Amino acid sequence: QVKLADSGGDLVQAGGSLRLSCAASGRTVSTYAMGWFRQAPGKEREFVSAISARGGNTYYADSVKGRFTISRDNAKNTVYLQMSSLKPEDTAVYYCAASSYTSGTYRPSSNEFNYWGQGTQVTVSS
């Protein structure tokens, strides 16, 4: 069983930066695709970014492309999301996710992620 602990959310001004972390425990996720999703109040959860098992493939939602960078350190069993040029519309609870179904040679669909973190709040003030 994989447990994901996501952290790093905070209150930040527009234009600022944050780095989210997702530490996995229970077993190694080095063969799993990993991803980040977010859910704003009153909205459905949406895909933000994903990364393949070895980190060679990364995927981004159009809304964050060029501003967010996903990375992973398999030695630490950890995935990161570096967020820059933050906008008020980035305000949401961000969730880390892992997929044991795919290593991520293609962008995984949300229903392929079978492990989820508890979420971390990111609030961007204008």
Side-chain angles (χ1 to χ4, degrees), residues 2-126:
V2 173
K3 289 188 178 181
L4 302 177
D6 31 32
S7 62
D10 206 344
L11 170 63
V12 64
Q13 287 190 333
S17 299
L18 278 177
R19 188 176 83 155
L20 305 183
S21 299
C22 172
S25 61
R27 63 151 292 163
T28 178
V29 293
S30 61
T31 60
Y32 293 4
M34 301 290 294
W36 288 94
F37 291 76
R38 67 187 181 186
Q39 186 167 20
K43 296 188 176 181
E44 292 188 355
R45 186 175 60 196
E46 64 174 0
F47 169 81
V48 175
S49 182
I51 187 167
S52 60
R54 295 187 177 186
N57 296 319
T58 57
Y59 311 92
Y60 297 96
D62 287 344
S63 59
V64 307
K65 202 171 293 183
R67 300 188 298 121
F68 291 10
T69 302
I70 191 170
S71 61
R72 65 190 299 162
D73 184 338
N74 285 339
K76 295 182 178 180
N77 230 22
T78 301
V79 176
Y80 305 97
L81 184 68
Q82 178 68 46
M83 305 186 295
S84 303
S85 301
L86 283 162
K87 305 174 181 180
E89 50 264 42
D90 294 318
T91 295
V93 178
Y94 283 70
Y95 297 91
C96 173
S99 172
S100 64
Y101 299 125
T102 174
S103 61
T105 53
Y106 58 89
R107 177 186 144 171
S109 62
S110 60
N111 59 14
E112 291 183 284
F113 287 94
N114 51 330
Y115 298 104
W116 294 85
Q118 80 284 0
T120 185
Q121 176 70 48
V122 172
T123 303
V124 183
S125 64
S126 57

